[in-house]
Amino acid sequence: MSVPYLPQIRLYQNWLRDTHQLSFDNYDALWRWSVTDLDAFWQSIWDYFKLQSPTPPTGVLVEAKMPGARWFPGAQFNYAQQVFRHVDSAHAAGFPALLSHNEKSLDSSPARELSWPELRRQVASLALHLKAQGVLPGDRVAAYLPNIPETAVAFLAVVSIGGVWSICAPDMGTNAVLDRFRQIEPKVLIACDGVSYGGRDMDRTAVVAEIRAALPSLQHVIVHYNLDATNFIADSARFESATAQNDAKTSAFEPLWLPFDHPLWIVYSSGTTGLPKPIVHGHGGTVLVALALKTLHNDIGCSYAANSLGERYHWYSSTGWVMWNAQVSGLLNGTTCCIYDGNPGGSKDKPDWTTLWRFGAKLGVTFFGAGAAFFGNCLKAGVDLSTCGDLSSVRALGTTGSPLSPEAQTWGTEQFRRIARTAAQQDIWWCNISGGTDFAGAFIGGNRELPQVPGEMQCRLLGCAVEAWNEQGQPVIGEVGELVCSQPIPSMPLYFWGDTGNARYISSYFDMYPNVWRHGDWLKITPSGSCIIYGRSDATINRHGLRMGTSELYSAVEALPEVIDAMVVDLEYLGRESYMPLFVVLREGVALDDAMKARLNHAIKTALSPRFVPNEIFQVPEIPRTLSGKKQELPIKKLLLGQPIDKVVNRDAMANPGCLDWYVAFAAARASQPG
């Protein structure tokens, strides 16, 4: 494996200079060009990555409006076409498409390897099987599968024939899955019989049967036997049989050329209230944004290119999180993707936060990504990377999902400094990004050529006209404001499935500022151009006229060794005086006595301000989190403001729904108090 000697964003700028005579004094100038001349910038992305269409587009951005922007009219596209362009070159250079492990194989077996030609063959076989079952362009195919190679094969097969892909992770319960899939009326279900997680096998055949019975639109079911190949599910096809065809038809198969904005997949919001929003993204826009993000900003190169030879890209995710989509998108640029299926923290009986690091060492990962909470857990668990195998190939760390604390980033930097075998590892590069399922991309992220400051993200991304707006709707620098995007991006949703007149779509992003995308995060853009996310703007603390996101408070209290987890909500409402309780999970054997409360309050006073000391502190068994690990601040806030629990939270979309009983009892007790 070799470390790229030139950052991908530098290669792109060299190409702009040599091809278009465009030079920029600094990144800020490059960014401003990219958001003021949208046609030139996005055309440059098309040209730089040599995107292909049998019919040339008649323009770039025809209608620059939100929602409803029209990109590259007349162009034809297919996500799978872009992936398969790399088959021959990557295989000739000796690089696989996918490498994978699960909990059972990590310490006992070599990685599963899927070559580029075998990926193409299996995709072709499954695509032909789906066509034979009557799947037509625009038909939805639902998947209930874990993060395994078969899932990537299924996705590419579906979209190669114009089917619309939608997936739920097998750790989701029946109701959560049906809340999503019922809305889109899938024709085919591709499911698994079960998963292994945290040292336990979890049979999912009963859930599959329930899903199947509740979806009258289904005409065909395909099952991958992930646990027990002998437990056959009646009236279904075997995944292994559907991908076994290897003949002249599979060799001749080509993905279908589709309109640029043909629906690619349907992803879902977290769904804390009402049904989850079924968000539809298109083939062309998703690929354009993924290539710009993955290559230019995340600095993930093509595995067979000389400048990034041997690149191996890993970003830990379940299939229920948009980072699964981001991991698979590595294939778009000819990159070997390394995927892990299982619990990154071991089991409850034997917690082990070295698991992913050992995986990365075993596979020679070059870019190692995970949720910010993962790195925080490694810090708290005292992980020593020198015990995790040979990590000398790792040159970059990626984080997202929530703000990464400066403490966790500093921990990781110091760990790599201690084990460094290369100059790059002496000051390991952190690619901290912030984006969303909503547009399958990122607004803020990394740049290998810019300075790093722990707790900050390096820049606003190219093509993303992101600003922080104050209460008057004016852009501000050096102040916390609403994160908005004032210009369209190609991967913004085409629409929500079944959303008459775009009503839900508009109310989700454009209600506060018509024709300007409001993302729902608090953002501060520093005078140097770096960015800090302070958490969700709808879960903001507003104490005595001062607004603050929750992440800063968490950084303060979770830095204490006794604190495992924390959540705060601010119940300022309709002019009432703010009431802000702090909920903490403490280490075993630690009690929330007066001394501990004093330590917590002191940490907040010291790190933030006495204004943000909570009214009360409560010790709780768990902090409620979604399946993707996000704290459920807003639902708990609404519960404490008097709304019924079933109206504010979807238990099936939670990682730990059992913990809600404590908060329901707490809300009831508080409501019964006078005044």
Side-chain angles (χ1 to χ4, degrees), residues 247-266:
D247 54 17
K249 287 185 176 179
T250 52
S251 298
F253 175 79
E254 287 288 337
L256 189 63
W257 288 109
L258 303 161
F260 183 86
D261 58 357
H262 185 84
L264 170 69
W265 57 42
I266 300 172

Side-chain angles (χ1 to χ4, degrees), residues 27 42 67 70 107-108 158 175 180 234 248 254 297 347 374 417 423 428 503 513 526 536 540 593-594 605:
Y27 178 76
W42 289 109
R70 290 180 59 235
D107 296 317
S108 60
V158 169
N175 292 338
R180 289 155 173 78
E254 287 288 337
H297 285 286
S347 66
F374 168 78
R417 200 165 281 148
I428 194 81
Y513 308 113
T526 72
R536 297 294 293 173
T540 298
D593 54 20
D594 289 344
K605 285 180 186 177

Side-chain angles (χ1 to χ4, degrees), residues 12-56:
Y12 167 68
Q13 289 182 79
N14 291 348
W15 175 86
L16 281 178
R17 179 197 63 208
D18 298 342
T19 308
H20 296 287
Q21 292 72 55
L22 282 169
S23 295
F24 302 93
D25 292 337
N26 50 43
Y27 178 76
D28 185 64
L30 173 65
W31 175 79
R32 291 189 185 282
W33 166 74
S34 77
V35 297
T36 52
D37 194 344
L38 294 178
D39 281 35
F41 170 69
W42 289 109
Q43 183 67 58
S44 81
I45 297 298
W46 179 289
D47 295 340
Y48 183 70
F49 289 102
K50 300 181 175 66
L51 300 185
Q52 297 171 343
S53 168
T55 55

Side-chain angles (χ1 to χ4, degrees), residues 62 319 617 671:
V62 178
T319 51
I617 305 175

Side-chain angles (χ1 to χ4, degrees), residues 474-660:
Q474 300 165 330
V476 291
I477 300 293
E479 298 177 26
V480 177
E482 287 277 356
L483 191 165
V484 302
C485 186
S486 60
Q487 297 288 343
I489 296 171
S491 65
M492 283 177 173
L494 302 174
Y495 46 84
F496 291 175
W497 194 268
D499 181 19
T500 305
N502 273 345
R504 291 185 77 195
Y505 184 11
I506 292 169
S507 68
S508 295
Y509 309 111
F510 303 105
D511 253 4
M512 181 173 285
Y513 308 113
N515 308 312
V516 172
W517 178 289
R518 172 187 174 252
H519 196 57
D521 281 339
W522 286 129
L523 165 68
K524 180 165 73 176
I525 302 167
T526 72
S528 68
S530 63
C531 297
I532 305 168
I533 293 286
Y534 290 90
R536 297 294 293 173
S537 57
D538 49 15
T540 298
I541 300 167
N542 186 0
R543 299 282 277 178
H544 315 293
L546 291 183
R547 295 189 302 174
M548 186 189 72
T550 53
S551 64
E552 285 182 293
L553 191 142
Y554 297 146
S555 295
V557 300
E558 291 174 12
L560 298 176
E562 298 91 342
V563 179
I564 294 174
D565 207 355
M567 182 179 70
V568 67
V569 293
D570 181 7
L571 302 184
E572 182 191 41
Y573 182 61
L574 293 179
R576 300 176 196 166
E577 185 177 347
S578 168
Y579 170 78
M580 190 175 79
L582 171 66
F583 306 103
V584 292
V585 180
L586 301 178
R587 291 198 176 280
E588 192 171 345
V590 178
L592 185 64
D593 54 20
D594 289 344
M596 189 68 233
K597 289 180 181 178
R599 290 198 68 202
L600 289 162
N601 286 333
H602 178 73
I604 295 167
K605 285 180 186 177
T606 304
L608 305 174
S609 157
R611 293 172 184 261
F612 296 108
V613 169
N615 294 83
E616 293 184 87
I617 305 175
F618 300 93
Q619 186 170 359
V620 297
E622 289 182 273
I623 299 301
R625 289 182 178 270
T626 66
L627 288 169
S628 61
K630 293 188 177 180
K631 297 180 185 186
Q632 293 272 51
E633 297 161 322
L634 189 59
I636 298 303
K637 178 177 180 176
K638 290 180 176 179
L639 171 70
L640 296 180
L641 289 172
Q643 296 188 40
I645 189 68
D646 293 333
K647 295 288 187 184
V648 300
V649 71
N650 182 347
R651 291 175 185 264
D652 290 326
M654 287 186 60
N656 52 354
C659 77
L660 289 176

